[in-house]
Amino acid sequence: MAAGKKRDIAVLYGGRSVEHEISVITALQLMKALDPVKYNVIPVYIAPSGRWYTGNSLFEKNCYRNWASCQHTLTAVSLQPWPGIGGLKVEGGSLLKRFSTLLTGRFDTIPVDVFLLAFHGEYGEDGCIQGLLEMAEFPYTSCDVTSSAIAMNKYLCKSILRDHGIKVLPSKVARKFDAIHNLKSVTDSILQTPGLERFPLFIKPNHLGSSIGIAKAEDIESLHAALAKVFLYDTEAIVEPCLESMFEINVSVISSDPTRASVVEIPVATSGALSYEDKYMRGGGKKKGARSQGMASLVREIDPAALDSTIKEQVTSSALKAFEVLGCCGVVRFDFMHDNTDGSIYFNELNPQPGSLSFYLWVKSNPRFLYTEELDVLIESALKRRSQLASRERELGFMALK
Amino acid sequence: MSSTRINSVILGECGNRTPIILLHGWARSLSDLLPLGELLSADYPVHVLDLPGFGDSGMPQESWDTIQYARRILQYLDDNGLAKVNLLGHSFGGRVTLRLARLAPERIEKIILIGSHGLSPKRSFYQALRIWAIRRGAVILKWIDAFFKTTLFKNWFTPRYGSQDYLAAGALKGTLVKTVTEDQSAELPKITAPALLIWGTEDLAAPLEMGRRMAHLIPRARLLELPHQGHDPFLDVNAHLCAYHILPFLAEGQDVKEAVGNG
Ligand SMILES: Nc1ncnc2c1ncn2[C@@H]1O[C@H](COP(=O)(O)OP(=O)(O)OP(=O)(O)O)[C@@H](O)[C@H]1O
């Protein structure tokens, strides 16, 4: 980095997703970890209304709790999708200011060098915001449009990874539109799918995260109920066989040079009855509850010493492969499930902007990244990716339009 | 005095690196500095201490000043066979760190001060007048109490004008009175150890102004200002940011020394 000048880092978070609040927590946390010597940190909050704001009150938790009064202390901003815009457009302002904008077409901008994304869920994690940032030619620290969109479609993501030799559970998508017209044919086609002939089945929304709307079905009636529940939140449901004895294993991958995988974690709180079969676990690992909030506060076992090393290796190599196949960038978390009945490991899902950006894994990894270092890595790799995109040859013209 | 028990948590197994001693603030305990200690312990042996009178350490027999605290820490170093250490002090722990840096310069490699006390704060004329009036008032009330056998000082004055720390100080009231007003500004220019000062710009207990003066007075000091942070800019995820700056500071000059040592 050129000595002297600080980079302007806009932290973009909140948004119109059910996981809005988790995103705020992730953002507040990471803003504390960003190095103030290297960076000038600009919080850019997308309120549930979809409007964008910036201002110093956004560093305070209270601002979000007392939104009605806090909002007045903030500056409304927006992002114009114009290449080279260089920053955020300041909206509103005094009458005089608005009049002069009207006359001259010029407006105030807040300069931004890199957008650091801290979204969870719809619009922020699924390629939407990424599309806007691509159009304005900004560097940003997350998966790109394609990999984000694939990650947010569980069925699509699994299909692609299965084609590249990564093990996934059989699955079938059920659409709300079809179910409304003919529920019987929808359930029939689910039960005729190879691997889904027998109950219990597991039903979840195809797009949403945070375990919203998930259910287990033991028979046709509960399958109907589960589908109805999913269709409250999503237009598509994904149906899989239910693994009755399993544990989850997660691992984070970061695009540094080279791409690295973190230590693995076994989240304990996510599935109440987590059973470690004796054949996979030798003795008990140490239990640790992290002090921070957000994803980092889940009860989890990080790099459990007792976990079979072949399981760790299998998860890590699948994650690195999936990262490459899907063209991910930034930091992501892959979630796997270990079937205790036969020892199979299935890819379950990909979180393109994981809670707390998985820093609690990187700080235990080798080489270790402090959260501040992880954010440095993300910012550098976003800049590198942008300059690669900018170096493409692009001849534009009107040759065909004679 | 040296019999007062010190409770500590020792982290990290980093061979012959110079250990770091972590000293917490007033009315706090070692648990404050544990997350930071854990991050530092990847590269250095770390001793996180409960200062006497706090946490699980013993209560001093008499009211100590910061020099007595410093002497007790030196005793701790001896007891643990630590010839040379790095010191990190937060707030009140900073006062003790500054004393140690003067008391035993040959044993202190580098010092890190976070929102440290040790200088008297700059006050406006009105604030100074008010404090003068409160101190005079206390003296006069104590005379009255002694003369008329009343309890005005304890029951009327203290709840109104005693500081939060004073009210909560319990058996440590004497120590608080001895230490809270002390000003080490004459000593700071004589500190030889390199110093890293970390300050939250929103620190209300030890305002940034104090950090800037301290950085000015200590010859080999560098000040790191953390925007939007208060008096404890090392809790939770902030520990990462502190460690990010502390570790390179401690590593500076290490390669040279190791090379010389080997040669
Ligand atoms: N086929 C399955 N059999 C048994 N349990 C399952 C199955 N699929 C998922 N689960 C359980 O349901 C939880 C939620 O599933 P999944 O992770 O796919 O959905 P999600 O809502 O995207 O969750 P999140 O984003 O919070 O990780 C998992 O953590 C796992 O415990």
Side-chain angles (χ1 to χ4, degrees):
Chain A
M1 190 185 100
K5 165 121 177 41
K6 283 191 193 187
R7 283 210 167 100
D8 294 311
I9 306 295
V11 178
L12 198 52
Y13 62 102
R16 292 162 59 213
S17 135
V18 285
E19 292 162 280
H20 180 96
E21 193 179 3
I22 319 288
S23 159
V24 174
I25 292 171
T26 295
L28 285 175
Q29 225 175 26
L30 78 84
M31 290 194 287
K32 287 182 175 181
L34 274 167
D35 180 16
V37 177
K38 280 197 193 137
Y39 312 118
N40 173 32
V41 182
I42 308 159
V44 182
Y45 173 57
I46 305 186
S49 67
R51 304 296 289 263
W52 297 31
Y53 298 92
T54 189
N56 277 340
S57 333
L58 291 170
F59 287 102
E60 309 293 332
K61 261 189 216 142
N62 285 339
C63 180
Y64 308 90
R65 281 200 227 113
N66 311 318
W67 178 242
S69 60
C70 184
Q71 194 181 350
H72 303 294
T73 68
L74 303 173
T75 308
V77 292
S78 67
L79 184 63
Q80 307 297 309
W82 309 335
I85 181 92
L88 294 155
K89 178 185 175 196
V90 177
E91 298 287 340
S94 66
L95 260 185
L96 191 68
K97 182 118 254 161
R98 281 188 234 187
F99 189 61
S100 92
T101 302
L102 204 63
L103 283 184
T104 62
R106 285 208 207 109
F107 46 78
D108 288 347
T109 54
I110 298 171
V112 174
D113 292 320
V114 177
F115 280 91
L116 212 170
L117 306 197
F119 290 106
H120 303 305
E122 266 184 304
Y123 304 108
E125 231 182 339
D126 59 4
C128 291
I129 196 82
Q130 289 77 3
L132 179 60
L133 293 167
E134 292 285 354
M135 293 183 76
E137 296 194 341
F138 273 109
Y140 59 89
T141 62
S142 83
C143 283
D144 65 358
V145 175
T146 316
S147 48
S148 299
I150 295 170
M152 280 297 106
N153 186 322
K154 289 184 174 139
Y155 182 76
L156 197 58
C157 191
K158 292 208 281 191
S159 309
I160 293 173
L161 292 180
R162 186 190 51 223
D163 291 349
H164 284 84
I166 291 170
K167 216 167 177 177
V168 300
L169 284 171
S171 62
K172 173 84 184 160
V173 166
R175 297 200 168 75
K176 182 176 182 175
F177 182 84
D178 300 336
I180 289 171
H181 286 271
N182 193 340
L183 186 57
K184 185 170 178 332
S185 88
V186 167
T187 43
D188 283 351
S189 81
I190 289 171
L191 295 170
Q192 280 155 20
T193 305
L196 300 181
E197 300 94 342
R198 269 184 305 279
F199 289 103
L201 296 172
F202 206 84
I203 297 94
K204 33 192 184 183
N206 193 30
H207 303 100
L208 292 185
S210 290
S211 303
I212 294 165
I214 60 170
K216 180 176 164 183
E218 305 276 5
D219 49 33
I220 292 275
E221 282 76 53
S222 53
L223 176 59
H224 287 170
L227 288 173
K229 188 170 153 204
V230 167
F231 293 147
L232 288 176
Y233 307 103
D234 200 340
T235 53
E236 290 179 355
I238 179 167
V239 184
E240 300 171 349
C242 181
L243 299 183
E244 297 208 81
S245 169
M246 63 94 170
F247 63 88
E248 293 185 62
I249 314 171
N250 304 341
V251 65
S252 178
V253 177
I254 196 167
S255 45
S256 64
D257 201 6
T259 301
R260 293 182 196 286
S262 71
V263 288
V264 305
E265 66 166 328
I266 297 183
V268 178
T270 44
S271 101
L274 251 186
S275 55
Y276 308 101
E277 297 282 289
D278 288 337
K279 52 183 171 173
Y280 307 110
M281 307 285 295
R282 301 184 299 271
K286 254 192 286 169
K287 256 193 199 128
K288 266 210 171 148
R291 262 168 291 273
S292 328
Q293 332 133 292
M295 246 335 257
S297 72
L298 259 180
V299 181
R300 60 183 75 251
E301 293 198 33
I302 294 176
D303 196 19
L307 182 67
D308 200 316
S309 65
T310 55
I311 298 181
K312 286 187 199 175
E313 277 156 28
Q314 206 179 326
V315 163
T316 307
S317 67
S318 297
L320 284 169
K321 182 168 181 189
F323 191 86
E324 199 196 310
V325 164
L326 298 170
C328 296
C329 344
V331 68
V332 305
R333 197 188 74 225
F334 288 94
D335 296 355
F336 294 84
M337 292 187 292
H338 177 273
D339 186 346
N340 295 341
T341 56
D342 65 356
S344 296
I345 293 173
Y346 298 103
F347 162 82
N348 183 34
E349 64 155 351
L350 156 60
N351 299 278
Q353 287 170 55
S356 299
L357 300 187
S358 292
F359 81 85
Y360 49 89
L361 292 177
W362 289 104
V363 75
K364 303 273 173 174
S365 297
N366 186 17
R368 167 179 91 150
F369 292 131
L370 294 167
Y371 201 1
T372 313
E373 293 170 326
E374 181 192 339
L375 296 169
D376 283 350
V377 168
L378 290 177
I379 289 167
E380 286 311 315
S381 88
L383 285 162
K384 201 163 124 195
R385 184 171 158 270
R386 184 66 240 157
S387 74
Q388 278 170 358
L389 288 174
S391 67
R392 287 172 305 176
E393 293 224 0
R394 277 188 300 176
E395 282 181 29
L396 301 179
F398 291 100
M399 258 103 81
L401 198 71
K402 284 200 179 116
Chain B
M1 72 159 228
S2 47
S3 61
T4 308
R5 205 182 73 82
I6 286 192
N7 172 52
S8 69
V9 171
I10 302 172
L11 305 162
E13 310 128 32
C14 304
N16 49 8
R17 295 258 188 122
T18 311
I20 318 174
I21 309 291
L22 272 55
L23 305 175
H24 62 80
W26 186 263
R28 312 285 274 267
S29 70
L30 63 75
S31 65
D32 253 17
L33 291 166
L34 270 184
L36 178 57
E38 271 172 27
L39 295 180
L40 298 175
S41 71
D43 292 351
Y44 293 86
V46 170
H47 294 237
V48 198
L49 270 56
D50 270 335
L51 285 167
F54 305 100
D56 291 330
S57 285
M59 182 64 72
Q61 295 298 310
E62 47 183 301
S63 297
W64 284 2
D65 58 19
T66 47
I67 295 177
Q68 285 164 299
Y69 268 94
R71 292 224 169 90
R72 180 63 189 90
I73 304 297
L74 280 178
Q75 179 75 49
Y76 176 89
L77 302 188
D78 290 342
D79 295 345
N80 287 273
L82 307 175
K84 196 149 200 176
V85 294
N86 296 296
L87 285 173
L88 181 152
H90 169 231
S91 197
F92 178 78
R95 286 185 200 278
V96 180
T97 299
L98 290 168
R99 286 291 185 213
L100 273 160
R102 284 291 298 126
L103 216 58
E106 70 290 350
R107 300 186 67 171
I108 312 300
E109 195 156 288
K110 293 183 182 173
I111 60 174
I112 299 139
L113 300 162
I114 308 182
S116 174
H117 283 288
L119 296 178
S120 49
K122 278 223 170 80
R123 296 203 171 92
S124 69
F125 176 72
Y126 172 76
Q127 286 170 323
L129 189 70
R130 183 184 140 88
I131 286 169
W132 179 84
I134 290 174
R135 291 218 181 108
R136 286 284 112 190
V139 173
I140 294 168
L141 279 183
K142 279 184 190 164
W143 284 343
I144 295 175
D145 283 348
F147 196 75
F148 295 104
K149 303 269 175 281
T150 50
T151 55
L152 285 174
F153 179 74
K154 187 162 156 252
N155 293 334
W156 183 82
F157 178 88
T158 314
R160 278 176 183 74
Y161 297 107
S163 73
Q164 286 302 320
D165 277 344
Y166 185 80
L167 295 178
L172 290 166
K173 278 204 169 81
T175 295
L176 181 69
V177 170
K178 273 189 190 168
T179 58
V180 78
T181 52
E182 70 166 27
D183 184 284
Q184 302 189 37
S185 51
E187 297 296 312
L188 301 196
K190 299 179 208 154
I191 291 178
T192 50
L196 174 65
L197 280 58
I198 302 178
W199 236 272
T201 59
E202 313 300 315
D203 192 335
L204 297 178
L208 178 61
E209 169 274 317
M210 268 164 54
R212 291 193 175 147
R213 263 192 296 146
M214 220 176 250
H216 191 70
L217 287 170
I218 301 175
R220 300 167 71 189
R222 179 189 322 162
L223 174 65
L224 171 67
E225 297 182 10
L226 304 182
H228 315 292
Q229 302 297 328
H231 190 50
D232 321 289
F234 50 81
L235 299 178
D236 291 332
V237 81
N238 282 328
H240 287 246
L241 181 54
C242 287
Y244 177 88
H245 285 282
I246 291 170
L247 291 173
F249 166 72
L250 292 179
E252 268 168 38
Q254 291 293 328
D255 310 342
V256 184
K257 219 177 60 187
E258 273 163 30
V260 171
N262 293 337

